[in-house]
Every structure is written in structure tokens, then in C-alpha cells.
Amino acid sequence: MPNTAISEQARKQAREALEKRGQTAKKFAELNNLNPSTVYAVLSGQSHCRRGEAHRAAVLLGIKDGVIEQ
């Protein structure tokens, strides 16, 4: 199985992008219909972002390539 871990650099860039927009992780979560705890877990590296809401959050944050099913 390939290493699909998201790098600290990618998570840092996502945090910086939120900061540039003046947006909190909580506000990002609300705007994208995500649980704020999930967004915090993705940004901190506590989640592997392999499936479900964590996968969706990672893709929307731009730290993972992927498809979001509607």
C-alpha cells in the first residue's frame, strides 16, 4: 500500500491559506458543511484523511488530491 500520509508542509500551507483569507478552521468547516473537529484533526495531522468527512475536508483544503462524491 502506498504511503498516503499528508505531509506537515501541506498541512502548514493549508493553515496559512486559511489565515491569508482571514478565515478560521471553524468558519471553513461551517461554510463547507463539515464538523469543525474534523477540520482541526486534518490540519493537525491527527487524521489519515482516507475516507469520509476527513477525506472530504482534506480535498477541500487542497492538501490532498481526490474526488468528492456528491
Side-chain angles (χ1 to χ4, degrees):
M1 175 180 263
N3 183 4
T4 59
I6 296 171
S7 71
E8 174 57 33
Q9 181 179 0
R11 291 191 308 268
K12 181 180 177 193
Q13 288 173 341
R15 290 189 299 265
E16 289 172 352
L18 287 175
E19 189 174 326
K20 271 186 183 177
R21 292 193 304 260
Q23 195 173 57
T24 64
K26 181 179 178 182
K27 186 64 176 175
F28 175 85
E30 290 171 357
L31 291 173
N32 290 286
N33 200 27
L34 295 164
N35 186 317
S37 299
T38 301
V39 175
Y40 287 116
V42 168
L43 291 173
S44 69
Q46 294 175 338
S47 174
H48 293 287
C49 308
R50 291 188 182 142
R51 60 187 68 83
E53 190 173 50
H55 168 81
R56 186 167 161 257
V59 172
L60 290 171
L61 284 163
I63 60 176
K64 179 181 178 183
D65 290 331
V67 176
I68 300 173
E69 296 288 328
Q70 296 295 332

